[in-house]
Amino acid sequence: MDTNFIVIFSYFIVIYRIVQLYEVLIAMSFQNQFTKTTTDANLMETVHHGSAEYPFRYYYENIALFDFKCIDWHWHSELEFIYIKSGNVVFDIGTVHFELNEGNGIMINSKILHRLQSSSDAIIPNFCFSLHLLHHRTVSFIKNISIL
């Protein structure tokens, strides 16, 4: 089989999954607003981010609505992408402390302890997802192509 065809076909699979994801995100937009982060004794977040069928969850949050304008220390097994739509956010990730401003974004790896805070309104659409978002056969297929 032609290698170019296989690569193009794999891109179509990924694009199809992204379109499916976009449709679900539109439906979930304002339904996923939280004002408290709950954790266990090890600071692992107790909220499940998605399901086996849809291994992701989209949130549209305003940090000012959380206690003390802070999403307190927590970690989760999913990866997380956070976009700063408006405002400024102070991040603590492990021992690193920094600020992100409107228009910035950050990817937080799985099982990394982190905290977010803001002195005023800060709108942060964010997306937690499992690596299983791409079906394991698709990932294996793409890995095999990259070896060719």
Side-chain angles (χ1 to χ4, degrees):
M1 187 178 264
D2 182 20
T3 305
N4 289 333
F5 173 78
I6 294 171
V7 170
I8 291 169
F9 181 73
S10 67
Y11 284 129
F12 280 120
I13 291 171
V14 171
I15 290 169
Y16 174 72
R17 297 292 257 178
I18 290 170
V19 168
Q20 285 181 318
L21 171 66
Y22 179 74
E23 290 172 355
V24 171
L25 290 178
I26 296 299
M28 294 169 64
S29 276
F30 285 95
Q31 298 172 7
N32 293 309
Q33 294 183 359
F34 291 86
T35 58
K36 184 170 180 63
T37 302
T38 55
T39 61
D40 66 14
N42 295 317
L43 298 179
M44 179 179 178
E45 189 170 17
T46 56
V47 171
H48 294 286
H49 301 290
S51 64
E53 185 178 358
Y54 294 103
F56 60 89
R57 186 97 184 244
Y58 173 76
Y59 301 92
Y60 191 88
E61 299 171 317
N62 182 349
I63 294 177
L65 300 178
F66 285 76
D67 291 341
F68 307 107
K69 298 179 184 173
C70 178
I71 299 176
D72 215 353
W73 288 106
H74 68 284
W75 63 273
H76 34 76
S77 59
E78 299 86 6
L79 287 85
E80 183 173 16
F81 176 75
I82 301 172
Y83 175 72
I84 314 304
K85 183 174 180 181
S86 66
N88 300 317
V89 178
V90 175
F91 280 85
D92 292 297
I93 299 178
T95 59
V96 179
H97 179 85
F98 58 96
E99 184 174 335
L100 290 180
N101 303 309
E102 185 174 318
N104 294 144
I106 187 169
M107 179 69 76
I108 301 172
N109 207 350
S110 173
K111 301 179 182 175
I112 299 295
L113 190 62
H114 55 285
R115 175 175 74 164
L116 298 76
Q117 53 190 344
S118 182
S119 59
S120 61
D121 282 351
I123 305 298
I124 56 162
N126 57 90
F127 179 72
C128 291
F129 62 97
S130 167
L131 288 177
H132 294 102
L133 180 62
L134 295 176
H135 191 273
H136 72 277
R137 281 183 247 158
T138 305
V139 172
S140 298
F141 184 69
I142 292 170
K143 283 182 182 175
N144 288 336
I145 291 173
S146 65
I147 293 170
L148 296 177

